[in-house]
Amino acid sequence: MHGKTSRTQGNIPTLADVAKHARVSTATVSRCLNTPDRVVEETRKRVMAAVNELGYSPNFSARALAARRTNTIGAIIPTMENAIFARGLQAFQEELRQSGLTLLVASSSYRPDLEEEQIRTLVARGADALLLIGHHRDPRIYDFLDKRGVPVLIAWAYDEKATKPSIGFDNRAAMAKIAQVAIAMGHSEIGAISAERADNDRARDRVAGIRDAMAANGLVPDELALIETPYSIENGRRVFRQLMALSPRPTVVICGNDVLAVGALQMADEIGLRVTQDVSITGFDDIELASVAHPPLTTVHVPHRDMGRDAARLLINMLGGQSQTASVELATDIRMRGTLGPPPA
Amino acid sequence: MHGKTSRTQGNIPTLADVAKHARVSTATVSRCLNTPDRVVEETRKRVMAAVNELGYSPNFSARALAARRTNTIGAIIPTMENAIFARGLQAFQEELRQSGLTLLVASSSYRPDLEEEQIRTLVARGADALLLIGHHRDPRIYDFLDKRGVPVLIAWAYDEKATKPSIGFDNRAAMAKIAQVAIAMGHSEIGAISAERADNDRARDRVAGIRDAMAANGLVPDELALIETPYSIENGRRVFRQLMALSPRPTVVICGNDVLAVGALQMADEIGLRVTQDVSITGFDDIELASVAHPPLTTVHVPHRDMGRDAARLLINMLGGQSQTASVELATDIRMRGTLGPPPA
C-alpha cells in the first residue's frame, strides 16, 4: 500500500461502504444508482439513505475508486478576467498534463465565501490536490482539507512561515524595490492604486512594500495617497483621476497591477498629462497588456510561466506522498520601459 | 420581492409560473416534483408539461441529490491565455452563481484529444451540463454525452442546423463584413493571419468570410495571402513580417483575432511601416488589448458578456428539462478605430 491510499481511506466512502451500511450487495447498490426502477422501493430507499449519510459520490470511475485517485487537480483563482493568472495557469496545466493529470479551474471573483464553496465542490468532485492563490483564508478551510487528506499548494505568494507550502515571490519586497527606484529618482509625493486589501494578502503586502521604501528614505509612510478599487482598466482610469485632483498632486502613481496602471495611463492621456514629464505610472505583473500599452509600462516582472510550471512539479511531488514540501521563492525584477522618470522640476 | 428576482422573472420561470400555467397550486407542483407517486397521473402530466414548456428548473440545492444533481457545470475553453474567452466566461460564471451553480473550467490548448479527455473527466466528476466552444468535434463525443444525459450548449459559434443548441455569432458573416469594408476602401491585395483551421471551426468560418467578401467584389478568393499560426502576439509579429515580404505586398492584413493583430501592429512599427498609410490591420473579438493597442485596433466587436450571461440562462433552462432549446444568434459589429484606412495610392 502506498502512502496515498492509506491516507485517504476513511474519507471517501466506497460502493462497498454503502453496501455494508445498507446491508445489501454492491450489485444492488449499483442497480439503485443506475437503474433504480428495477429495485424494490424499500431497498432503494435504504440504499439512498446510506448514500446520503455517507456522502457517497457515485460518479467516480471504477479505476479511480480502486486507486482513490481521480488524476484531477483543482485550482481556484480570484478572476479569469484580465489575464492576471492566465499565463501561469496555462503553464501549470501543461506541466500537469505531462503527468497525465487534468486541471479543473474555478474562479472566486475575489470572494472568500465563493472560494470556500468552490474548495468544497472540488473536493466533493474528487480533486486529488488543490492550487490556491495567496495564504489568507479561514483556518477551518485548511482543517477541512487536512481532514480530507487533500494536499494544498499556495501560489502567487511566498511565505516560508505559513502553514501550507507555497511557491511565489515576496510581494512586499518586490513592490518596495520599484518604489525605491521611484524615490531614488526624486519622487516624494507618492500615490497608489491598490486592490481591496481586506481579503487579499498580495495587495496588502504590495502596499506595505511601498510604505517600507518610504520609511527607508525618510518619507512618512502614512502620507501615501492610497485609494483601493477592484482590478479593472475602468477603475484604474477613475481612481487615477481622483489622485490627480489631490493637493499636493502625486508625481508618481504606483499601481497594484498592470490592469490598473493601463487605466491610469489612458486617463493621463485623456486629461492632458504627459507620462513621464508630468506624472510617472508603474504596474505590477508584466502581463501582455504592459508591453502593448502606450507608452510601454514600467512594471514588476513576475515569472508567471516558471511559477506555473514549478507549482505543478511541487504538487506532483506532494501527491507522491512527499509530506515535507519546501516552499519556493522566485525572483521578480523591474522592467524599465517608458512610464517611470524623474518628477517634474 | 427584491430587484434581482423581478429582473430575472422574464427569463427564469418560477414555481408559481408553473402552477399558474398548469392551473394547479404551487403545493401540487412541488408534490409532482418531489413525490410524483402521490399525484394523480393526469395532473402530474399537465404539471410536467408546464415544467418542460416553461423550462422550469426545480430548486437546485434541495433536490440535488434526489435528482442526481451536483450543481456543477463544466466548461472547456481552448485556452486560458490572452483573455480571449475570459470575459465571456466570467459573465457565464456570475450568472450560474445566481442559481447556485458552480463552474469548473478546463482548457484544451486547442487540442481535440485533450478536449475529449476533459469532457470525460468533467462527466466522471459529475458535471450536470457542459459548455463547449464551437461545433466541430467527433460525433461519438456527442453520442457519449447523450447517453450520459449531459446537456451540452455550444458557444462562440452559431449554427441553427448543428446537432447541439448554440449561442454565438456567425463567424463567417462577421468576418465578411469587415473584409467588405476594407475592399470598399479600395484594398485588393489582401493578407490574412488565421489560427490553424483543421480543428477550429471558428477560424475556418472567418477565413471563408474573407473569401466571400472577395468573391462578392470580383476579387479572386484563391489569391488571399493566408498564413496559419497559433494565436499569440509573438506569432502575429512573425507572420506579419512574412506577409510583408510577399510580392505584391498586401495592403491590408485581416487577422483572425486581436492577439495576432496586436503582434502585427508591433511588427509594422518595428519594420517602419505606418498604420494606416502603408498598411492596414484588423482584429477580431474586441478584447481589452484592442483598445489598449497603439493605435487602437479596428476590430469585430463580439458581445462576450452578453454571450456568457445568456449561455448560462440557456443552460439552466436545459437543466430544467427543456428539451427543445433554440439556438441564439448574437449580433457583432465593427469598431472603427485607428488601424483600417484606404490603401496607399
Side-chain angles (χ1 to χ4, degrees):
Chain A
M1 284 265 136
H2 60 80
K4 175 72 183 174
T5 304
S6 54
R7 187 153 57 78
T8 57
Q9 223 159 29
N11 293 302
I12 299 179
T14 65
L15 193 77
D17 294 334
V18 174
K20 194 174 167 193
H21 200 85
R23 304 183 308 281
V24 297
S25 68
T26 51
T28 301
V29 177
S30 287
R31 264 199 304 279
C32 285
L33 294 170
N34 297 314
T35 51
D37 295 346
R38 294 169 54 199
V39 183
V40 180
E41 181 166 357
E42 200 200 339
T43 307
R44 182 160 50 89
K45 279 188 174 164
R46 200 164 72 234
V47 169
M48 291 317 288
V51 164
N52 288 335
E53 200 172 320
L54 299 179
Y56 174 69
S57 175
N59 285 313
F60 295 96
S61 72
R63 265 194 61 210
L65 250 178
R68 302 292 173 80
R69 280 280 182 78
T70 66
N71 291 333
T72 307
I73 304 296
I76 302 175
I77 55 174
T79 180
M80 300 200 186
E81 282 202 74
N82 300 322
I84 304 172
F85 300 99
R87 177 156 291 188
L89 216 58
Q90 188 72 27
F92 180 63
Q93 147 145 355
E94 284 162 15
E95 189 69 23
L96 290 177
R97 174 71 212 128
Q98 307 224 354
S99 296
L101 299 168
T102 298
L103 175 65
L104 297 180
V105 180
S107 153
S108 67
S109 304
Y110 287 96
R111 282 177 51 185
D113 57 330
L114 283 196
E115 193 203 44
E116 179 169 354
E117 198 175 292
Q118 290 165 338
I119 288 171
R120 290 177 191 277
T121 296
L122 281 163
V123 171
R125 304 263 67 76
D128 290 333
L130 293 183
L131 183 81
L132 301 175
I133 309 300
H135 291 280
H136 174 81
R137 50 186 57 81
D138 195 320
R140 80 193 145 79
I141 296 175
Y142 291 128
D143 285 348
F144 165 76
L145 291 167
D146 288 344
K147 275 186 197 130
R148 299 294 294 256
V150 178
V152 175
L153 178 66
I154 308 299
W156 265 264
Y158 169 79
D159 180 356
E160 57 178 351
K161 293 184 297 284
T163 48
K164 292 291 173 190
S166 54
I167 178 165
F169 44 94
D170 185 330
N171 281 278
R172 185 167 178 160
M175 192 59 121
K177 246 192 299 185
I178 200 166
Q180 172 63 42
V181 171
I183 294 168
M185 283 179 172
H187 291 278
S188 58
E189 300 298 340
I190 300 176
I193 312 179
S194 169
E196 286 154 336
R197 288 171 297 162
D199 297 309
N200 183 335
D201 51 12
R202 287 89 62 214
R204 268 204 300 279
D205 285 348
R206 291 176 197 176
V207 169
I210 302 174
R211 292 196 161 123
D212 288 347
M214 292 174 77
N217 289 276
L219 301 176
V220 181
D222 282 352
E223 288 179 359
L224 176 68
L226 171 71
I227 302 182
E228 295 188 355
T229 187
Y231 291 136
S232 79
I233 290 183
E234 192 46 45
N235 287 335
R237 292 168 55 91
R238 188 177 48 75
V239 170
F240 179 80
R241 175 168 234 161
Q242 291 172 9
L243 286 173
M244 290 302 102
L246 295 178
S247 176
R249 196 175 81 189
T251 55
V252 61
V253 174
I254 297 176
C255 300
N257 78 0
D258 292 343
V259 176
L260 293 172
V262 163
L265 276 181
Q266 288 186 348
M267 183 51 72
D269 187 55
E270 231 170 279
I271 61 181
L273 292 175
R274 294 162 305 164
V275 175
T276 60
Q277 295 93 319
D278 299 321
V279 63
S280 285
I281 294 169
T282 66
F284 198 110
D285 274 340
D286 198 19
I287 59 175
E288 273 177 348
L289 219 48
S291 317
V292 170
H294 184 76
L297 188 65
T298 295
T299 191
V300 176
H301 174 78
V302 172
H304 286 110
R305 285 205 157 271
D306 291 351
M307 183 163 58
R309 188 199 55 217
D310 291 351
R313 292 179 183 167
L314 281 177
L315 214 44
I316 289 165
N317 281 344
M318 291 165 77
L319 274 175
Q322 193 170 306
S323 53
Q324 293 295 85
T325 299
S327 291
V328 174
E329 183 171 12
L330 299 169
T332 59
D333 59 281
I334 298 173
R335 297 290 156 101
M336 291 301 290
R337 297 195 183 106
T339 63
L340 175 59
Chain B
M1 284 271 135
H2 57 80
K4 191 174 293 171
T5 306
S6 56
R7 184 163 58 79
T8 56
Q9 223 155 32
N11 299 300
I12 299 176
T14 64
L15 192 77
D17 293 334
V18 174
K20 195 173 164 193
H21 200 85
R23 302 182 311 279
V24 297
S25 68
T26 52
T28 301
V29 177
S30 287
R31 265 199 304 278
C32 286
L33 294 169
N34 297 313
T35 52
D37 298 348
R38 294 169 55 200
V39 184
V40 179
E41 181 166 0
E42 199 200 336
T43 307
R44 182 158 51 85
K45 280 188 172 164
R46 201 165 72 232
V47 169
M48 292 317 289
V51 163
N52 287 332
E53 199 172 321
L54 299 178
Y56 172 71
S57 292
N59 179 335
F60 290 116
S61 44
R63 290 182 37 81
L65 246 175
R68 308 281 183 81
R69 283 277 179 74
T70 66
N71 291 336
T72 307
I73 303 295
I76 301 174
I77 56 174
T79 180
M80 301 203 187
E81 282 203 77
N82 302 321
I84 304 172
F85 299 98
R87 176 155 291 189
L89 216 59
Q90 188 72 27
F92 180 64
Q93 148 146 354
E94 284 162 16
E95 189 69 22
L96 291 177
R97 174 73 211 127
Q98 304 224 356
S99 295
L101 299 169
T102 297
L103 175 65
L104 297 181
V105 180
S107 153
S108 67
S109 305
Y110 287 96
R111 280 177 52 184
D113 57 329
L114 283 196
E115 192 203 45
E116 177 169 355
E117 197 176 292
Q118 290 166 338
I119 288 171
R120 291 178 190 277
T121 296
L122 280 163
V123 170
R125 305 264 67 75
D128 291 332
L130 293 184
L131 183 81
L132 301 176
I133 308 301
H135 291 280
H136 174 80
R137 51 186 57 79
D138 195 319
R140 81 193 144 77
I141 297 176
Y142 292 128
D143 286 348
F144 166 75
L145 291 167
D146 287 345
K147 275 186 197 131
R148 299 293 294 253
V150 178
V152 174
L153 179 65
I154 307 300
W156 266 263
Y158 169 78
D159 181 355
E160 58 178 350
K161 294 183 296 283
T163 48
K164 291 293 172 189
S166 55
I167 178 165
F169 44 94
D170 185 330
N171 282 279
R172 183 166 180 161
M175 192 59 121
K177 246 193 299 186
I178 201 165
Q180 171 63 44
V181 171
I183 294 168
M185 282 179 172
H187 291 279
S188 58
E189 299 299 340
I190 301 178
I193 312 179
S194 168
E196 286 155 338
R197 290 170 296 162
D199 297 308
N200 183 335
D201 52 12
R202 289 88 63 211
R204 267 204 301 277
D205 285 350
R206 290 176 197 175
V207 169
I210 302 173
R211 293 196 161 124
D212 289 347
M214 291 174 77
N217 289 275
L219 300 177
V220 181
D222 281 351
E223 288 179 0
L224 176 67
L226 171 70
I227 301 183
E228 296 189 354
T229 187
Y231 290 136
S232 80
I233 291 183
E234 193 46 46
N235 287 336
R237 292 167 56 90
R238 187 177 48 76
V239 170
F240 180 80
R241 174 168 237 165
Q242 292 172 6
L243 286 173
M244 289 303 103
L246 295 178
S247 175
R249 195 175 81 189
T251 56
V252 60
V253 174
I254 297 177
C255 300
N257 78 359
D258 293 344
V259 175
L260 293 173
V262 163
L265 276 181
Q266 287 185 349
M267 183 51 72
D269 188 53
E270 232 171 276
I271 61 181
L273 292 174
R274 295 160 305 164
V275 174
T276 59
Q277 295 93 317
D278 299 321
V279 64
S280 285
I281 295 169
T282 66
F284 198 110
D285 274 339
D286 198 18
I287 59 175
E288 273 176 349
L289 218 49
S291 316
V292 169
H294 184 78
L297 188 66
T298 295
T299 190
V300 176
H301 174 78
V302 172
H304 287 110
R305 284 205 158 274
D306 291 353
M307 184 163 56
R309 187 198 56 217
D310 292 351
R313 291 178 183 170
L314 281 177
L315 213 44
I316 289 166
N317 281 345
M318 290 165 78
L319 274 176
Q322 191 171 306
S323 52
Q324 293 295 84
T325 299
S327 292
V328 174
E329 182 171 12
L330 299 168
T332 58
D333 58 279
I334 298 173
R335 296 291 155 98
M336 290 300 290
R337 296 196 183 105
T339 63
L340 175 59

